[in-house]
Amino acid sequence: MTTTASGAAEQAPSAPVLTAAPFAPGQILLTWTTSAPAQGFEISRSPHGANTWVVINTVTSGSTTALVNTGLSASTTYDYRIRLTASGITSAYSAVAAATTSGTAPAAVLY
């Protein structure tokens, strides 16, 4: 619970539910749902199991529910978490969602 400038107590919004899945070589698709109105989302990534979180994107539209994380290493597992922002307050972080990027794209075949 947080307190507003007027001293009123506000309930923090519920954390979004996050899923992560391989999308293309070096890319992971993140999708989320939320039961609370949102103004935006903050998405963090960590190497799998390292618990060293870095914010990779701040989405400023509450209606956005997906993001493709690109430029990742092939055959590597990443952990993700997300939290909702609304009216100057943030939710708790979601449960961690993990996904492994696919290997490198196949080489072109010339005939």
Side-chain angles (χ1 to χ4, degrees):
M1 197 173 293
T2 61
T3 305
T4 65
S6 65
E10 281 189 47
Q11 184 68 29
S14 299
V17 175
L18 178 66
T19 59
F23 186 67
Q27 300 180 5
I28 291 179
L29 172 64
L30 304 170
T31 58
W32 57 89
T33 59
T34 182
S35 60
Q39 291 175 331
F41 300 93
E42 179 186 276
I43 303 161
S44 301
R45 180 184 69 218
S46 174
H48 184 61
N51 204 28
T52 54
W53 298 100
V54 175
V55 174
I56 60 164
N57 202 304
T58 301
V59 178
T60 57
S61 168
S63 62
T64 300
T65 59
L67 175 83
V68 176
N69 187 198
T70 62
L72 303 172
S73 298
S75 303
T76 303
T77 303
Y78 296 92
D79 293 339
Y80 294 89
R81 66 183 185 180
I82 186 171
R83 65 181 176 176
L84 172 150
T85 59
S87 300
I89 54 177
T90 56
S91 71
Y93 284 105
S94 66
V96 173
T100 303
T101 55
S102 59
T104 57
V109 177
L110 302 175
Y111 293 95

